[in-house]
Amino acid sequence: MLNQLKIHRQILYDLTALHLEPMKGLYERLAYLASMRDPGTGIYTHKSLSLQYPADRVSEALERCHEEIFEKLLESPLATLEQDLRRYFEAMAGQEKVEAEACQSLTESWIPQQSPDYLRELYCSNQSALCALLQENRSKAR
């Protein structure tokens, strides 16, 4: 049991220090973690971490981090999230002109599978407003 806790702690440290910490915002981290999940099975994989640690432990750690980032995002002020989401799309090469519907669809794909319905609904509502704001601000800038 103690050995398993040590492994879990080391996976979290490596994931955070080497992969998540260098990222600039919550949306970038959320998208990254969501990309580690196989949509068919719900199992998370990470090539470099799985070379060092048992795959099931890596999946558990990634899933938990995904849920934590998701919940932290929901606790953040909408103004902060708007700036973060704008930065995320601007950082994607040439993707800063994403339409509101595409923005919403993409960001909703980042929801952890085990999230309760009330958190999903809150997130989707926030994303709808944020994506519309981004679209509106682009239209005004023209």
Side-chain angles (χ1 to χ4, degrees):
M1 174 82 165
L2 186 58
N3 190 38
Q4 288 181 348
L5 288 173
K6 285 180 183 178
I7 290 171
H8 188 76
R9 189 173 347 149
Q10 190 60 46
I11 292 169
L12 290 175
Y13 176 80
D14 289 352
L15 175 64
T16 302
L18 301 175
H19 302 283
L20 297 178
E21 199 59 39
M23 296 180 184
K24 293 181 176 38
L26 288 174
Y27 281 107
E28 187 176 1
R29 291 177 182 126
L30 187 68
Y32 176 77
L33 290 165
S35 75
M36 301 288 114
R37 179 184 62 212
D38 179 302
T41 64
I43 295 172
Y44 291 76
T45 58
H46 193 284
K47 289 182 183 180
S48 65
L49 292 174
S50 293
L51 292 174
Q52 298 174 313
Y53 306 105
D56 59 333
R57 297 287 169 227
V58 171
S59 182
E60 289 172 14
L62 289 169
E63 181 177 18
R64 185 64 197 130
C65 282
H66 189 188
E67 291 168 358
E68 286 183 27
I69 295 293
F70 179 73
E71 290 170 9
K72 183 174 176 127
L73 192 139
L74 288 172
E75 296 169 355
S76 300
L78 286 177
T80 302
L81 294 178
E82 180 187 4
Q83 293 171 351
D84 190 9
L85 189 59
R86 179 178 283 108
R87 256 193 326 267
Y88 174 81
F89 283 118
E90 288 172 353
M92 294 172 61
Q95 295 287 326
E96 66 274 0
K97 296 180 183 175
V98 173
E99 298 296 323
E101 290 174 10
C103 169
Q104 177 129 9
S105 177
L106 176 64
T107 59
E108 287 180 9
S109 72
W110 300 336
I111 299 172
Q113 287 182 332
Q114 301 302 321
S115 296
D117 288 342
Y118 74 96
L119 291 181
R120 288 174 174 273
E121 290 171 15
L122 176 61
Y123 177 82
C124 290
S125 174
N126 288 350
Q127 290 312 117
S128 179
L130 290 171
C131 291
L133 269 174
L134 291 180
Q135 190 67 38
E136 182 181 311
N137 289 342
R138 276 191 213 103
S139 297
K140 287 180 182 177
R142 292 181 188 153

